[in-house]
Amino acid sequence: MAFQIVINLIIAVMWMFLSESYTGVSFITGYLLGILLLFLLRRFIPGNFYMHRFFKIIKLVLIFTKELVLSNVEMVKYIYTPEPDVEPGIFELPLDLTSNWEINLLANFISLTPGTLTIAVSEDNSKLYIHAMNIENIDEEIRSIKNTFEKAIMEVTR
Amino acid sequence: MPLSVSDIVEFLGVLLILIGSIMAVISAIGIIRFPDVYTRSHAGTKSSTLAVLLTLLGALIFFWVRDSFSVRLILGIVFVFLTAPVSGHLISRAAYRARVKMSDLTVEDELGDAIRAYEEDNDDSDKEAKGDKGE
């Protein structure tokens, strides 16, 4: 991925040299042309086309924002009910992710999603311990959310 | 009074700041109302993160129309986004490690089970090791 970005930057600079205008606008034009060139030549360049991964990252950010807003709506619901029927508890979630920064990202995401907060990562990085606000009726639902998150993170990193 | 585009965008920024401050109040109420450290840090992490983010975003939009685009505000948004959940995690983890009691409502504690199982295993292996040395 880094290799493709470097090629793209070189193409952009080349475009600036060819058109002899050293401005931001011509750099951006060159960069867009570079994306087109890389897309056409993607079969001869090692690795997947990198804009593909870029779109996945955007998708991840959008999911994140959506979950943050939803979790706050839920929080407001808990706070303004006279007798909130919370049943807090800690449950464990087996992880499929392996590298440190993937786990870090997932833990951050979980902390900002509705009703969950990461409390600990197990010693061998195979489980997350999560405090849930309402463990009874959310447990399964949360697992499905985790699956979408974990899948989205895996699509970015692999 | 004619309403120009910049007025409307300015209004949007002001609205975001208002929603952000309401979220901050809600998170403060939540911190008072919830029963124990862990549920409180739910309120502290989520609501106050969104509150700060909305306020900064509102300020960004407001000054974008008025004056100029500020990259520092965007950096602020990104930093808060990255650091707030980590601090929530660390505080609740430290509380758990210091054996702060969970509220009576708590129904399940798999982390406690895991720690107890681990400690029992280690006790056994310690005894075995001592036994070996004794022999």
Side-chain angles (χ1 to χ4, degrees):
Chain A
M1 182 174 175
F3 175 66
Q4 293 187 15
I5 291 177
V6 170
I7 289 183
N8 207 340
L9 285 175
I10 290 173
I11 292 172
V13 172
M14 281 305 239
W15 179 259
M16 279 163 77
F17 284 153
L18 286 175
S19 57
E20 286 207 338
S21 70
Y22 306 105
T23 58
V25 176
S26 72
F27 181 81
I28 291 170
T29 320
Y31 200 89
L32 291 177
L33 281 172
I35 290 175
L36 189 67
L37 271 179
L38 282 176
F39 180 67
L40 291 177
L41 298 175
R42 65 188 183 282
R43 288 178 56 198
F44 309 104
I45 298 169
N48 281 331
F49 181 51
Y50 82 94
M51 290 310 279
H52 189 66
R53 192 175 277 186
F54 180 73
F55 286 127
K56 295 283 191 220
I57 293 173
I58 301 234
K59 189 182 144 204
L60 199 62
V61 172
L62 286 181
I63 292 177
F64 196 18
T65 322
K66 192 190 106 198
E67 290 295 331
L68 185 61
V69 172
L70 282 183
S71 77
N72 277 282
V73 171
E74 192 139 318
M75 222 59 225
V76 172
K77 235 186 278 170
Y78 278 131
I79 290 168
Y80 277 106
T81 346
E83 296 279 326
D85 59 337
V86 288
E87 280 187 341
I90 297 176
F91 68 95
E92 65 176 30
L93 173 86
L95 283 175
D96 294 329
L97 304 170
T98 45
S99 76
N100 280 342
W101 78 270
E102 288 171 334
I103 294 174
N104 182 6
L105 206 62
L106 185 70
N108 270 8
F109 276 22
I110 289 170
S111 287
L112 291 176
T113 47
T116 49
L117 191 74
T118 10
I119 286 208
V121 187
S122 73
E123 201 72 18
D124 54 351
N125 287 356
S126 65
K127 281 170 205 140
L128 277 183
Y129 291 95
I130 298 168
H131 185 269
M133 199 70 176
N134 206 339
I135 204 158
E136 205 149 288
N137 51 3
I138 292 188
D139 208 2
E140 280 312 304
E141 192 185 333
I142 279 168
R143 263 162 221 269
S144 74
I145 291 172
K146 295 299 141 36
N147 287 339
T148 65
F149 270 148
E150 247 182 338
K151 232 171 68 190
I153 291 176
M154 271 187 186
E155 277 173 354
V156 170
T157 52
R158 279 160 209 179
Chain B
M1 192 184 116
L3 206 60
S4 65
V5 175
S6 71
D7 279 342
I8 295 172
V9 177
E10 239 180 63
F11 178 74
L12 198 71
V14 172
L15 197 70
L16 280 180
I17 295 177
L18 181 68
I19 297 174
S21 39
I22 291 174
M23 286 309 301
V25 172
I26 288 172
S27 110
I29 295 174
I31 288 174
I32 296 172
R33 281 206 57 189
F34 284 144
D36 65 350
V37 182
Y38 308 100
T39 40
R40 279 178 185 166
S41 75
H42 272 270
T45 328
K46 294 183 191 80
S47 314
S48 60
T49 311
L50 189 70
V52 174
L53 290 183
L54 285 177
T55 315
L56 286 179
L57 201 64
L60 178 78
I61 289 173
F62 187 83
F63 285 111
W64 195 359
V65 177
R66 272 289 171 87
D67 202 35
S68 66
F69 190 75
S70 156
V71 182
R72 258 181 289 173
L73 280 172
I74 289 190
L75 283 181
I77 290 174
V78 172
F79 288 156
V80 171
F81 220 39
L82 289 179
T83 53
V86 177
S87 63
H89 166 76
L90 280 182
I91 290 170
S92 50
R93 184 177 185 275
Y96 199 91
R97 284 298 162 107
R99 287 159 204 250
V100 175
K101 280 232 170 64
M102 306 173 84
S103 79
D104 299 335
L105 297 167
T106 308
V107 286
E108 206 172 355
D109 184 6
E110 289 186 1
L111 177 57
D113 298 344
I115 289 175
R116 251 168 268 133
Y118 179 79
E119 278 171 355
E120 273 170 22
D121 281 358
N122 271 21
D123 284 351
D124 290 348
S125 59
D126 283 352
K127 278 171 197 163
E128 280 167 20
K130 277 170 194 168
D132 288 345
K133 273 175 196 169
E135 286 167 9

